[in-house]
Amino acid sequence: ETGVTQSPTHLIKTRGQQVTLRCSSQSGHNTVSWYQQALGQGPQFIFQYYREEENGRGNFPPRFSGLQFPNYSSELNVNALELDDSALYLCASSQSDRARFFGPGTRLTVL
Amino acid sequence: AQSVTQPDIHITVSEGASLELRCNYSYGATPYLFWYVQSPGQGLQLLLKYFSGDTLVQGIKGFEAEFKRSQSSFNLRKPSVHWSDAAEYFCAVGAPGSQGNLIFGKGTKLSVKP
């Protein structure tokens, strides 16, 4: 059974740029959620996708957007990057609302 | 407001000693409850979860947690800590059908003395 994978591992961008992060769900999972973890903090919920539709969103601006594909993999897109967007971005997959299994994360640095 | 409190930012225990990490939550109903562990620079690994039923939950790596509804707590315990347990531990809550929204505490960093 393959776990949750994320790419890239690390990324450096400058303010104003756009970034796309990718996530492959664990086999058999139909739900993907994304979290932002700032340094020294717990993860914060960005949004969730279930069967290719966004069905939950946290307190993040519209420049954070996403997609889920028919194979349940997912992308997180962030436009107009700000310095405060520097964080570890975690993807989690689950079978509906059950236990979420997290990937290793993508470390984004915005300069 | 819904929240999770982990009162201890940093705990140091000796190898072989017992461990208890505290977690209190504020939620409108009985939530789903989780403990995750994160090693430096890594993602989160699920240690255990509580959905319903027996309030004492067994997890991986010898960890257990007890749900106490009257105290709104879900404390994590281990009878004998190993050096490899040094990591950051996060308590999280979510509601059934919560549409993905897990609420995390700020974490407790565990250091283990030889």
Side-chain angles (χ1 to χ4, degrees):
Chain A
E1 183 179 275
T2 305
V4 180
T5 60
Q6 292 186 243
S7 63
T9 305
H10 295 89
L11 204 51
I12 299 174
K13 292 285 188 179
T14 56
R15 274 187 305 174
Q17 285 190 310
Q18 178 265 342
V19 68
T20 297
L21 310 182
R22 294 179 174 83
C23 171
S24 292
S25 303
Q26 185 164 317
S27 176
H29 287 182
N30 57 14
T31 303
V32 172
S33 49
W34 286 89
Y35 290 78
Q36 180 194 67
Q37 186 179 18
L39 202 60
Q41 301 294 316
Q44 286 198 301
F45 174 67
I46 303 175
F47 46 58
Q48 174 176 282
Y49 279 81
Y50 172 69
R51 295 188 175 181
E52 303 178 57
E53 297 285 333
E54 182 182 302
N55 73 339
R57 189 175 185 94
N59 190 26
F60 280 80
R63 60 189 184 84
F64 285 78
S65 63
L67 284 172
Q68 186 182 31
F69 300 99
N71 66 355
Y72 301 133
S73 65
S74 177
E75 287 182 353
L76 163 66
N77 299 289
V78 187
N79 294 321
L81 283 167
E82 301 176 0
L83 296 179
D84 285 348
D85 296 333
S86 295
L88 181 68
Y89 287 85
L90 296 163
C91 167
S93 75
S94 61
Q95 181 60 31
S96 299
D97 67 346
R98 308 304 277 184
R100 283 76 166 173
F101 292 88
F102 283 81
T106 294
R107 172 74 62 187
L108 173 64
T109 301
V110 182
L111 303 176
Chain B
Q2 301 162 351
S3 65
V4 176
T5 301
Q6 294 181 247
D8 304 306
I9 297 173
H10 189 187
I11 284 182
T12 300
V13 300
S14 297
E15 191 167 15
S18 63
L19 171 70
E20 182 169 28
L21 302 182
R22 295 181 289 165
C23 173
N24 293 94
Y25 65 88
S26 173
Y27 215 83
T30 300
Y32 289 167
L33 296 158
F34 307 86
W35 274 99
Y36 287 88
V37 61
Q38 186 175 39
S39 297
Q42 301 297 313
L44 300 172
Q45 182 181 22
L46 179 65
L47 284 176
L48 47 78
K49 59 190 181 293
Y50 173 80
F51 291 154
S52 64
D54 192 345
T55 56
L56 185 62
V57 180
Q58 301 299 319
I60 62 171
K61 303 184 179 185
F63 286 93
E64 67 177 24
E66 185 172 13
F67 168 53
K68 293 186 177 180
R69 185 191 309 272
S70 61
Q71 298 176 19
S72 297
S73 69
F74 189 56
N75 294 349
L76 182 71
R77 300 193 294 249
K78 186 170 185 178
S80 178
V81 169
H82 188 263
W83 64 266
S84 60
D85 293 326
E88 187 134 27
Y89 291 79
F90 292 94
C91 179
V93 302
S98 66
Q99 300 178 329
N101 189 13
L102 287 186
I103 300 170
F104 283 84
K106 292 189 175 182
T108 297
K109 182 177 180 180
L110 174 65
S111 297
V112 180
K113 291 190 299 185

